[in-house]
Amino acid sequence: MPTFEKFNLPDAGEGLTEAEIVHWHVAVGDAVTVNQTIVEIETAKSLVELPSPYTGVVTEILTPEGTTVEVGVPIIVVDTDPGGTAPAPTAPAGVVPDGADAPAATASPQTGTGDATPAASEGSGSVLVGYGTVEPGTARRRRRAAEPAAAAPAAEPTAAAPATDRPGQAT
């Protein structure tokens, strides 16, 4: 059974609310992989290439080139199960059930042991534009303690400048 996933336009940064679809790098029927560039968008600040969050086959492009789209609106549909097989129950990303091999591990001919791919060893997986990860234990920098104001020398009052005669002014 096909599994259709809609990809919503993410916040490309700095709280922008919309972007224009400039160029699609894929077409309906194309196979895509995770992190493959699928579309180029233009925000008020820059051109940004968005990667695919899914592996599968493009089944529908919802917004044509030249269209301005609000953040959060679906822009493309990908069939993540194009073979039509029923999806196997999966654990959340980064979690391996007891007794199961990690899906990203492959046998290395040199060592014969499982080598994890970089995405699997990082723990957070792929990160899309606008969806940053939070590092545990990060804290804000401490503020400096307010320094006592240095004793400023007393400003001497300035004497009023004597009135000068201006040309054409009678005295």
Side-chain angles (χ1 to χ4, degrees), residues 57-168:
V57 175
V58 175
T59 58
E60 191 175 0
I61 292 179
L62 302 173
T63 54
E65 291 179 2
T67 305
T68 299
V69 182
E70 296 289 322
V71 169
V73 172
I75 58 174
I76 191 170
V77 179
V78 177
D79 181 0
T80 57
D81 188 22
T85 59
T90 59
V95 177
V96 178
D98 292 335
D101 290 333
T106 57
S108 169
Q110 289 89 7
T111 62
T113 61
D115 293 328
T117 61
S121 64
E122 290 173 6
S124 66
S126 301
V127 178
L128 297 176
V129 175
Y131 297 101
T133 60
V134 177
E135 294 293 326
T138 58
R140 298 177 87 178
R141 285 185 6 187
R142 291 182 58 197
R143 286 186 169 171
R144 288 186 182 179
E147 295 181 19
E156 296 179 20
T158 57
T164 59
D165 291 334
R166 292 189 184 157

Side-chain angles (χ1 to χ4, degrees), residues 14-39:
E14 291 89 33
L16 299 172
T17 60
E18 64 184 15
E20 179 183 344
I21 304 295
V22 175
H23 178 69
W24 283 103
H25 293 271
V26 295
V28 173
D30 287 354
V32 295
T33 59
V34 172
N35 290 333
Q36 174 185 343
T37 299
I38 57 172
V39 66

